[in-house]
């Protein structure tokens, strides 16, 4: 059985849009490149053809991967969330106890993670440590440089 992939409604829509783009636009572009490369003749020494065929394989692999994610998607329903405990879909305000720095993270499924945008995976060290915790709890997270202690200051939806 395949692993569930958690998505916000917006995240699932983004994946579905990418699938549509790959199927309607990228497939045609790659198909045209293959046709042009075939016109160059001898396929045994035709690097343009080889590159186009490799690109075609990558596009098809990406489509298959995204379609599998969609088939195993579990939508995070904001109506099912509360601010008592951290869960996938929660936005968490944490304070690093050593430095006093505050950060805000939204816990999302691994397919939507974008740390530069403050979206961390529920499977990441920080995300998994925060899941199930409440405001006021202190969590210790093992990171490559050692350990970080966070205090949960707020939970929002």
């Amino acid at each position: 059985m395949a692993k569930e992939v958690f998505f916000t409604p917006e995240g699932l829509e983004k994946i579905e849009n990418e699938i549509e783009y790959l199927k309607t636009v990228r497939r045609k572009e790659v198909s045209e490149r293959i046709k042009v490369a075939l016109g160059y003749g001898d396929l045994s020494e035709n690097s343009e053809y080889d590159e186009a065929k490799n690109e075609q394989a990558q596009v098809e692999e990406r489509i298959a991967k995204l379609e599998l994610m969609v088939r195993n998607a579990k939508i995070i329903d904001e109506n099912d969330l509360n601010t008592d405990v951290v869960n996938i879909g929660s936005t968490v305000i944490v304070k690093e106890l050593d430095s006093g720095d505050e950060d805000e993270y939204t816990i999302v499924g691994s397919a939507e993670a974008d740390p530069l945008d403050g979206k961390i995976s529920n499977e990441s060290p920080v995300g998994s440590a925060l899941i199930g915790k409440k405001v006021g709890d202190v969590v210790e997270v093992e990171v490559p440089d050692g350990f970080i202690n966070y205090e949960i200051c707020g939970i929002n939806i």
Side-chain angles (χ1 to χ4, degrees):
M1 186 171 148
K3 181 177 96 172
E4 285 184 328
V5 182
F6 294 94
F7 285 104
T8 60
E10 298 82 24
L12 182 60
E13 182 180 351
K14 183 178 176 185
I15 295 295
E16 289 171 336
N17 289 341
E18 183 177 351
I19 292 170
E20 184 67 21
Y21 170 77
L22 290 170
K23 285 182 170 182
T24 59
V25 177
R26 291 294 296 142
R27 271 184 178 163
K28 287 180 183 171
E29 290 174 351
V30 173
S31 176
E32 284 301 315
R33 286 190 55 210
I34 291 171
K35 285 179 188 173
V36 168
L38 284 171
Y40 296 149
D42 185 9
L43 295 183
S44 65
E45 296 180 17
N46 190 332
S47 64
E48 289 87 357
Y49 177 78
D50 291 340
E51 287 175 21
K53 288 300 281 183
N54 286 337
E55 187 176 353
Q56 181 183 44
Q58 290 172 350
V59 168
E60 294 305 322
E61 182 180 341
R62 179 72 178 156
I63 290 169
K65 180 181 177 184
L66 294 175
E67 286 179 336
L68 181 63
M69 292 168 112
V70 169
R71 278 195 301 278
N72 296 305
K74 179 162 177 32
I75 304 299
I76 302 162
D77 186 352
E78 288 185 359
N79 296 324
D80 294 340
L81 299 176
N82 65 55
T83 57
D84 296 337
V85 66
V86 177
N87 209 327
I88 299 174
S90 299
T91 298
V92 186
I93 301 164
V94 295
K95 179 167 68 173
E96 187 180 333
L97 295 181
D98 291 341
S99 67
D101 292 341
E102 281 195 10
D103 290 307
E104 183 175 287
Y105 300 117
T106 301
I107 312 296
V108 296
S110 59
E112 276 187 84
D114 183 0
L116 298 177
D117 194 28
K119 295 180 179 181
I120 60 171
S121 167
N122 63 310
E123 298 174 9
S124 69
V126 174
S128 63
L130 293 173
I131 296 284
K133 302 298 189 275
K134 299 178 179 186
V135 173
D137 286 353
V138 174
V139 296
E140 182 177 72
V141 180
E142 185 173 1
V143 294
D145 293 341
F147 290 91
I148 297 177
N149 291 300
Y150 289 112
E151 178 181 357
I152 299 175
C153 300
I155 303 170
N156 302 310
I157 296 176

